[in-house]
Amino acid sequence: MIRVALADDHPEVLLALRLLLRLSDEIDVICETSNGREALDCVIEFQPDVLVIDIQMPELDGLSATKRIVNLSLPTRVLVISLNRGSFIAKQAAAVGAKGFLAKEDLPEFLLPAIQAVHRGELFFKD
């Protein structure tokens, strides 16, 4: 079972992520948050296998939260998502230690494979 935390400031995106992940028997969503500070707290407390976090978040953006998680040497691997796509954003995510990046429009097709790859320790960047 892959333990996943979700972080996005839009309730409809959190709902969509949750519904997509319900299609898999190997995913357990253990935490949902609506800002970067809550996402960081969730990761510290529950140490999910994978955190899926939006790049633009209130209080603490997804890149800053990712950098803090990596600097704490926690076992959680981070998959960054964004409304925008492009290699520049993917490179920013990689630079702070994210193990993957997806544009939100690619979530229906690639969310589960991305989580599985990141959980296995592989990189998954689709820009």
Side-chain angles (χ1 to χ4, degrees), residues 43-101:
V43 168
I44 290 169
E45 182 174 351
F46 298 108
Q47 297 193 8
D49 299 310
V50 178
L51 167 65
V52 178
I53 189 169
D54 187 15
I55 201 167
Q56 293 182 353
M57 299 277 287
E59 293 191 37
L60 184 66
D61 66 78
L63 295 179
S64 297
T66 299
K67 186 174 183 177
R68 289 186 186 188
I69 290 164
V70 170
N71 287 341
L72 290 171
S73 298
L74 297 173
T76 302
R77 295 179 174 125
V78 181
L79 173 64
V80 173
I81 60 174
S82 176
L83 188 58
N84 302 306
R85 69 168 50 251
S87 60
F88 177 73
I89 298 170
K91 287 177 185 174
Q92 285 182 308
V96 295
K99 300 300 181 189
F101 171 82

Side-chain angles (χ1 to χ4, degrees), residues 1-58:
M1 187 68 69
I2 303 172
R3 298 169 63 245
V4 175
L6 304 174
D8 196 292
D9 58 325
H10 295 99
E12 61 278 2
V13 174
L14 281 175
L15 174 62
L17 292 170
R18 189 177 337 109
L19 292 174
L20 283 169
L21 294 176
R22 278 194 188 154
L23 300 174
S24 172
D25 293 337
E26 69 178 290
I27 302 292
D28 182 19
V29 176
I30 63 167
C31 183
E32 294 182 24
T33 67
S34 60
N35 68 59
R37 192 151 320 280
E38 289 174 356
L40 182 60
D41 291 343
C42 167
V43 168
I44 290 169
E45 182 174 351
F46 298 108
Q47 297 193 8
D49 299 310
V50 178
L51 167 65
V52 178
I53 189 169
D54 187 15
I55 201 167
Q56 293 182 353
M57 299 277 287

